[in-house]
Each structure stands twice: as C-alpha cells, then as structure tokens.
Amino acid sequence: MRNLLSLLLVLAGVSAQRTTEWTFVQNGTSGVVPVELITISPTLMLMYDRADGNPLLLPDGERAWAAIWNLETNTPTPVSTITDTFCAGGAFISNGTLVSVAGQPLETPGQLPEDGRMGIRLFDPCTSPTGANCTVFEDPANIHLAVTRWYPTGLRIPDGSLMVIGGSNINVFYNTGPTTENSFEFWPSRPGEAGTVIPSQFLVDAVPVNLFPRSFVLPSGKIFMIANNISMIYDIETNTETRLPDLPNGVRVANPFDGTAQLLPLSPPLYEPTVLVCGGSATDDSLPTTVISNNDPATDQCSRITLTAAGVAKGWEVERMPEVRILMESVLLPTGDVLLINGAKTGYSGYPSVVGSNVTMSNAANPAFRGMLYRTTFPAGQRITQEGIPTSNIARMYHSSASLTAKGNIMVAGSNTVPAVVGPPALFPTEFRVQYLNPDFITNNSPRPTIQSSPTQILFNQKATLKVTVPPSLALGETQVSLMDMGYVTHAQHANSRLVFLEHTLIGNTLEITAPPNNFIYPPGPAWIFLVADGVYSEGVQVMIGDGGDPPRANQGIKIPFNSL
Ligand SMILES: *[C@@H]1O[C@H](CO)[C@@H](O)[C@H](O)[C@H]1NC(C)=O
Ligand SMILES: *[C@@H]1O[C@H](CO)[C@@H](O)[C@H](O)[C@H]1NC(C)=O
Ligand SMILES: *[C@@H]1O[C@H](CO)[C@@H](O)[C@H](O)[C@H]1NC(C)=O
Ligand SMILES: *[C@@H]1O[C@H](CO)[C@@H](O)[C@H](O)[C@H]1NC(C)=O
Ligand SMILES: *[C@@H]1O[C@H](CO)[C@@H](O)[C@H](O)[C@H]1NC(C)=O
C-alpha cells in the first residue's frame, strides 16, 4: 500500500516537493561548556572546556573541565585531564585514537590543569555505550609538542598522523608580534624532526587574523588553507606554499574574525574538491581594538572555490546569506548539504576587549537565533535558505558549538563570552543547556533507512557488504552512501570534517560499497557510514578506514585519476 502510495506521489511529482521542517528539542545540561565538541561513538560526545568553575564535579570534588556527553541519558560524566584542554585543536589519527593538541597557558600554579600549550591528550576508541572506563591518557613530560601553541588547527593527513598548524604562544586577540607561532609541526614527529617546526610564510602573511587556520586535505594529498583573506595550497612533501586568489571583498575568516569553512562532498570518479567559506568580517584588520566595536556588522558573504586548474581560474564565487554572521558553525550533513548555525550578527571573537564589550561583557552582540541550510547542489543564488529552519531562544555566541551526532541530528550547545561561569543577570550568561536540532524525519519518527550490520573495518578500495533496509516510501528516491568524519569542532572551525560519497549497489537488503580508493581521498582513520535515501538518512555506523595501524602509515589503496590541485 505504501509502495503504491509513494509511486503515485512520485508520479504526481510530490516527492520532489517534500519540505523539511526542523525542530529544536532542549534536553539536559552539559555541566561544562562544550568549547570543543567531538562525536566519539554511537552514543557519546566528548566535550573539552576551560577550568573556570563549572557546575560538574570530578570524583575528587574539583570542578571539571572535560566531560563525556551521553546522547541517550542526556547527562554528562566528568573526565579528567592533566593539561589544560581549553583552546586546543585535534583530530582522530590512523589507529582510531582522538588526539587533542595544545591549549591554554597555566592559570593556577600548583593546581590542575597544568599548562596546556604543548599538550597531547590521547583518547582511545571508546566501546562502552556509557563511556565507562574511557579516559584521557597524558604523559606531559614525555609526550608533547615541539613548541607552545594556543588556537592551532589539528589535521589528520594522508599518512594518518596529525599536522599541527599555527597558533600563538599566549592568549591574544590579534595574533601579532614575537608571540605568534606561524609554523607547522607533525605528531608523531617525522624521523629526524623531533623538536623542530616548519616556518610558514602564508601564516606570517595572514597575521593578525590567522588563529585556527581553516585547513583541508585535498585528493592530491596537498593541504588547502585559508586564514584572514588569503588562501593557499601546501605541499607537505616538498614544503612549498602556492598562493590562491584572495577571498573577495576584504572578508576575513580565521579567528578572531571567525567565519566557518567546509570541504564540500567529494564524489567519484574524479573527486573534484570545492571549499565553502561563510561568514566572518570585512573589518580592516589594521584597526586596533580601541576602534572596533561589538556592534560592527559581520559579513553576509559565502564564497566557494573549486580547487582544480579550471576552478581556480574562475576564482571565488560569492553568494549572500539572508543575514550577516560571525562565530557561526557549519555542520556537514550526510546529504552533502551544510547547516549554518549559532553565532552573532555583529562583533568579533574573543573575550571582552573591543569597544562596547565592557557593557555587554561580550566581543559579539546581536545573537543569531535562526540557522540556515546551504543546499550544495542547488544553482548559485538559490543555495541558502531559512525555510523550515526554526528560531531558537538561546543565544549561542563565543564558545558555542554544534556537531552532527551518530543519530543524525545536530547537537547544539555552549556559549560563554567571558572567562568565568556567569549566570543571569549577565546579558549573555554561560550556557549549559543542550539542544538537538532534529530534521523532520527524526521529529516525526518517520521511516528512515537503517543499517543492520556492517564491517568494523574496510581497507582502501575494498568492497564490503552491509545489511540495510530502505522504507518503501523512500525506495524510489536517489540513494547515497556517505562516508564521513564529523570533525573536531571548536571556534566555528570543523577541522577534519569530510564527506566522501561511496560507489555502491543496493539490491534488496544488500548494500555493496567500495571504500575510497586511497588514503588521499580519505586520510586513514575512523569514519561513519550513513545511508541516504531520497534525502532521509540512517543513523551512522562507525568503521575504521585503512589498516588501523599507528601513524605514520605508508600509502594505501590504488592510484586513480583525479582532478584536484
Ligand atoms: C530527555 O531525555 C531523557 C533521557 O533520554 C528522556 O527520558 C526524556 O523523555 C527527554 N525529555 C524530553 C523533553 O525530550
Ligand atoms: C571498568 O573498570 C573497572 C576496573 O578495572 C572494571 O571492574 C569494570 O568492569 C570496567 N567497566 C567496564 C564497563 O568496562
Ligand atoms: C586582503 O587583505 C589585505 C590586507 O588588509 C588587503 O591589502 C587586500 O586588498 C585584501 N584583498 C582583497 C581581495 O580584498
Ligand atoms: C567602556 O568602553 C567605553 C567605550 O570604549 C569607554 O568609553 C568607557 O570608558 C569604558 N568603561 C569602562 C568602565 O571601562
Ligand atoms: C595510536 O598511535 C599513537 C601514536 O603512536 C599512540 O600513542 C596511541 O597509543 C595509539 N593508539 C592505540 C589505540 O594504539
């Protein structure tokens, strides 16, 4: 009956017109501010914060600064670390361990957490559904970065290790002067390179708006980077930087003018990469903080560029959002669309330091309460919509976050505009309430595709068989198999966020997929598989892509023709 109905609807052209109505559900409080938010298992999220007086307590009675969030009970469990996790970056590496790197300088001598700036925090795969016994391992005396870094990017590269990009030696608004750390390093360090860093002219040129440089691995294995209003491609093997066109119209997108960036989905056969950059500020970066204000409007600009010879010749393509935005998160969805959420309409990142911020206690003002959906495959000019996207009543500005969960909804949490926990009557209190933004099919509990069984590991270019079901109502629509890294979310940057559409055949309940051809298309490490049918997606299943060994790994898979710089 349902089959017949959906057939009739398709014949009538109704299916294509299905509109999405998203809804917010608020449930539970995070106990710490999820300044960093990472999906670690089907049921759990990891949250890293500052040690600044959170309500959640460690077993010894101390106030926690890290916690595991349970998506099923909507409760946090404190996690202890030795070094200060605040202002860190990170990534999963090839053996499945989540590495959090760098962080905050020492705040209270003689007391935990210790100086986090050279920190390496290892969180091994967590198989307990409740997170029991899942802990952070640290050995700061022996396992640490080469130099101190605050606000660096962590990126998993094709050999499965971590590239650590930029930062500052101290807490700053503008990253200028002798305390900049305009360099790269790798962890684990390369043979003969322990204790050394690679200077970057690109990062020097991006001063003073170059913290958390937005970076992605391209199908060539080279690294795309954007900071301030400049972009480049970095070749790790030859240590060469090749500059690309500037972002148009003076828009700047790294911290403290945080715009957000995503590598749009990579599709076979040629895996042409396109990067999307939205929000930020077009303020002149030579203006001092005594002149810029938390009422300065953010930009409404989204820009995208295809990183092929032809794409770069064409340059950045500009589109306008319906509203201006800074400090906005971007969440890549299994469909390939991008949800844009959180942030403010005016001001900047960072703690009260610009004009007006001593009144509001925030460098940003005018919270943005309504997200937007960027529809990747729509024609230019029609891609960004607010239709069906609900308005929240919770201000989520500096130190808020949003991440896709394995369940397929978006966890939206945090916001803390001052270096302390503050409640009302502060205009922007520290925010612990957790929300989920649910697509219509989750809200309505409508039939979704399901993945009943799947392998836990797939080698590159290898075929694998999954047992799945697709509800009859969706069976006539297009199917997609999305292999994703949900990223390490912090400060409007979703490092390592990645979606590769897999070649597949679906016959009855048997889905045969082919893993990405090699470690350049998907750097080796953990991933999630979602089955999408007619725009409705399953819950994600976790899989290790590649041989799962410790980094660095030799190249894996097969060479293929591809079209990417
Ligand atoms: C909140 O989550 C708990 C635990 O999953 C659940 O029992 C409760 O029904 C949820 N409340 C709302 C309002 O969704
Ligand atoms: C956690 O570790 C304790 C002590 O080693 C052990 O008794 C317990 O069974 C473990 N729990 C889980 C869920 O692994
Ligand atoms: C990028 O910023 C620099 C420094 O402020 C400026 O000179 C340059 O014109 C900007 N580029 C564009 C395309 O706006
Ligand atoms: C707050 O900022 C305004 C504008 O910069 C300045 O005039 C005023 O003196 C500041 N007030 C305090 C108490 O710092
Ligand atoms: C992954 O590799 C890192 C670097 O060698 C190592 O410290 C970590 O213990 C490894 N994780 C697992 C789960 O073996």
Side-chain angles (χ1 to χ4, degrees):
M1 177 61 205
R2 214 185 252 151
N3 246 330
L4 181 61
L5 183 64
S6 67
L7 180 64
L8 292 174
L9 291 175
V10 168
L11 291 175
V14 171
S15 159
Q17 287 167 21
R18 199 189 59 232
T19 57
T20 31
E21 282 295 331
W22 297 66
T23 49
F24 273 116
V25 173
Q26 195 276 312
N27 200 333
T29 52
S30 52
V32 301
V33 179
V35 175
E36 297 149 56
L37 182 64
I38 310 110
T39 299
I40 52 170
S41 86
T43 50
L44 305 171
M45 312 291 287
L46 186 60
M47 312 184 288
Y48 284 133
D49 187 14
R50 181 176 192 159
D52 60 2
N54 286 315
L56 187 67
L57 302 182
L58 285 159
D60 65 3
E62 287 301 318
R63 291 180 182 276
W65 56 89
I68 289 174
W69 177 254
N70 186 321
L71 295 167
E72 293 187 329
T73 59
N74 290 306
T75 51
T77 304
V79 168
S80 62
T81 74
I82 299 171
T83 64
D84 201 329
T85 53
F86 190 57
C87 308
F92 291 93
I93 55 175
S94 56
N95 61 11
T97 294
L98 173 69
V99 187
S100 159
V101 280
Q104 174 80 347
L106 181 67
E107 299 211 71
T108 317
Q111 208 176 299
L112 288 181
E114 293 178 5
D115 187 335
R117 292 172 299 165
M118 290 170 102
I120 298 279
R121 303 166 204 96
L122 303 176
F123 187 86
D124 285 347
C126 177
T127 50
S128 155
T130 60
N133 296 349
C134 294
T135 54
V136 176
F137 172 78
E138 280 182 282
D139 179 5
N142 298 300
I143 304 177
H144 55 79
L145 290 177
V147 292
T148 56
R149 294 179 194 270
W150 178 91
Y151 277 44
T153 294
L155 187 67
R156 181 171 76 257
I157 58 173
D159 72 5
S161 61
L162 192 73
M163 180 173 178
V164 188
I165 306 170
S168 164
N169 299 147
I170 55 161
N171 310 40
V172 285
F173 180 80
Y174 282 137
N175 193 26
T176 64
T179 53
T180 53
E181 193 49 67
N182 293 320
S183 68
F184 311 138
E185 65 177 289
F186 298 91
W187 192 83
S189 60
R190 314 181 141 220
E193 280 183 13
T196 66
V197 302
I198 301 165
S200 166
Q201 186 60 44
F202 169 80
L203 291 176
V204 170
D205 294 344
V207 161
V209 180
N210 74 351
L211 294 169
F212 286 125
R214 279 57 170 155
S215 311
F216 299 99
V217 175
L218 301 181
S220 58
K222 294 178 185 152
I223 313 298
F224 169 84
M225 243 177 248
I226 184 162
N228 202 323
N229 67 344
I230 61 176
S231 65
M232 70 131 176
I233 286 178
Y234 178 65
D235 186 331
I236 297 175
E237 302 313 321
T238 59
N239 185 27
T240 47
E241 299 183 340
T242 307
R243 287 283 283 273
L244 296 169
D246 285 3
L247 207 54
N249 308 316
V251 171
R252 305 169 201 283
V253 295
N255 185 274
F257 292 6
D258 283 298
T260 190
Q262 287 286 344
L263 175 66
L264 294 177
L266 296 172
S267 301
L270 292 178
Y271 301 96
E272 290 186 2
T274 296
V275 167
L276 172 72
V277 182
C278 290
S281 175
T283 292
D284 178 347
D285 64 354
S286 66
L287 296 175
T289 54
T290 49
V291 171
I292 62 175
S293 121
N294 63 359
N295 270 313
D296 294 345
T299 181
D300 62 357
Q301 183 168 303
C302 279
S303 318
R304 72 187 234 179
I305 191 168
T306 297
L307 297 166
T308 60
V312 168
K314 202 170 152 200
W316 292 93
E317 179 191 352
V318 168
E319 281 171 89
R320 300 281 158 200
M321 298 182 281
E323 295 176 1
V324 295
R325 281 290 194 284
I326 193 156
L327 307 171
M328 175 175 69
E329 306 298 322
S330 56
V331 182
L332 189 56
L333 303 173
T335 53
D337 290 342
V338 180
L339 182 77
L340 302 169
I341 191 164
N342 295 2
K345 297 180 183 172
T346 63
Y348 305 93
S349 292
Y351 283 146
S353 57
V354 303
V355 173
S357 66
N358 57 357
V359 177
T360 58
M361 291 309 286
S362 170
N363 270 358
N366 300 297
F369 290 110
R370 191 172 182 198
M372 299 169 230
L373 190 64
Y374 182 89
R375 297 171 297 185
T376 302
T377 57
F378 273 51
Q382 296 169 36
R383 294 185 185 129
I384 310 170
T385 183
Q386 287 188 304
E387 204 184 310
I389 304 292
T391 301
S392 174
N393 57 0
I394 302 178
R396 298 206 188 265
M397 304 200 293
Y398 196 47
H399 291 154
S400 70
S401 52
S403 173
L404 182 65
T405 73
K407 297 185 185 300
N409 56 7
I410 290 86
M411 178 170 164
V412 184
S415 193
N416 197 16
T417 63
V418 292
V421 171
V422 294
L427 189 53
F428 304 118
T430 307
E431 191 53 67
F432 295 105
R433 284 172 292 176
V434 171
Q435 286 170 297
Y436 299 101
L437 184 57
N438 291 327
D440 57 347
F441 50 85
I442 293 184
T443 307
N444 303 335
N445 212 11
S446 333
R448 296 169 70 181
T450 57
I451 300 177
Q452 269 106 28
S453 69
S454 60
T456 53
Q457 181 171 11
I458 316 178
L459 299 178
F460 286 98
N461 201 45
Q462 195 185 45
K463 286 193 186 330
T465 300
L466 288 71
K467 284 286 163 218
V468 304
T469 56
V470 175
S473 54
L474 306 172
L476 290 168
E478 186 198 0
T479 59
Q480 298 161 304
V481 180
S482 306
L483 184 80
M484 298 187 73
D485 188 320
M486 300 191 207
Y488 189 111
V489 179
T490 191
H491 293 84
Q493 103 138 337
H494 292 235
N496 306 290
S497 170
R498 199 173 191 85
L499 193 172
V500 178
F501 284 127
L502 299 184
E503 313 243 31
H504 65 279
T505 53
L506 175 61
I507 298 171
N509 295 104
T510 305
L511 177 67
E512 192 186 70
I513 61 171
T514 306
N518 59 48
N519 55 304
F520 299 108
I521 303 299
Y522 191 89
W528 294 88
I529 296 174
F530 291 87
L531 173 60
V532 189
D534 201 15
V536 175
Y537 36 93
S538 67
E539 296 194 359
V541 293
Q542 214 165 5
V543 61
M544 170 59 76
I545 299 294
D547 65 12
D550 293 352
R553 310 307 302 155
N555 286 340
Q556 301 175 56
I558 55 158
K559 284 194 170 157
I560 52 148
F562 58 87
N563 192 13
S564 165
L565 293 177

